[in-house]
Amino acid sequence: SADGHIDLPLLPHDLFVQHAPPSMRARMPRVIERDGAQVWVDEHGTQLALVGGSGHVGQVYVRGQSTRFDRMNESGFWDDCARGVYHPTDPALRVAAQDRDGIVGEVLYGVLGVANSIADQDVSAAVMQAYNEWLAEFCAYDPTRLVGIACLPSKNPSAAADEIRRCAARGLLGVEVAMT
């Protein structure tokens, strides 16, 4: 499959803080409780996505609204999300879903959109680096079936070149760059 999303709403809640340099941790996206829901926010508290939803903003799953989403839930996908179990970001569950769907491998990509929506270039680059580090660890679970595409900062060619080299050394086999 060449359409393997790993969108922000289903990522581990500590991903960006855990993988950021110590000097950047306070500025990284994080999950907070707001109005009875878990949401991803940026350093200013602006909501980026609803945790556990679909797509890049975390649209809530409502049974009967989408045939495709209902079909995904036949295996418990959305019910599990509601319990905090995220199939796309658990490599064992992801490979099990590949087996169930008859897929031999996936090309995986993720947070370029949200990273580029962050105005501060240093924070945006740190978000991509943190995601790329996590993605390399995720794909190492089964590199024959999980192929990661790194996100590159598009506003700083030197930083992008450095990140390409770092990601290649970590085993990521491709890159995506936003055209801004």
Side-chain angles (χ1 to χ4, degrees), residues 47-127:
Q47 185 169 323
L48 302 170
L50 178 67
V51 170
S54 69
H56 66 281
V57 296
Q59 179 181 348
V60 175
Y61 167 67
V62 177
R63 206 173 307 273
Q65 281 190 342
S66 167
T67 302
R68 179 171 61 102
F69 288 167
D70 287 345
R71 185 164 181 264
M72 289 169 65
N73 202 44
E74 289 172 6
S75 67
F77 185 95
W78 295 112
D79 292 338
D80 283 350
C81 285
R83 290 190 297 277
V85 176
Y86 306 121
H87 293 224
T89 54
D90 178 316
L93 292 175
R94 187 129 196 166
V95 169
Q98 288 177 3
D99 289 341
R100 188 176 50 256
D101 295 340
I103 295 172
V104 297
E106 281 183 278
V107 177
L108 305 169
Y109 58 94
V111 299
L112 189 62
V114 72
N116 280 322
S117 73
I118 297 170
D120 185 307
Q121 287 185 30
D122 293 334
V123 174
S124 178
V127 164

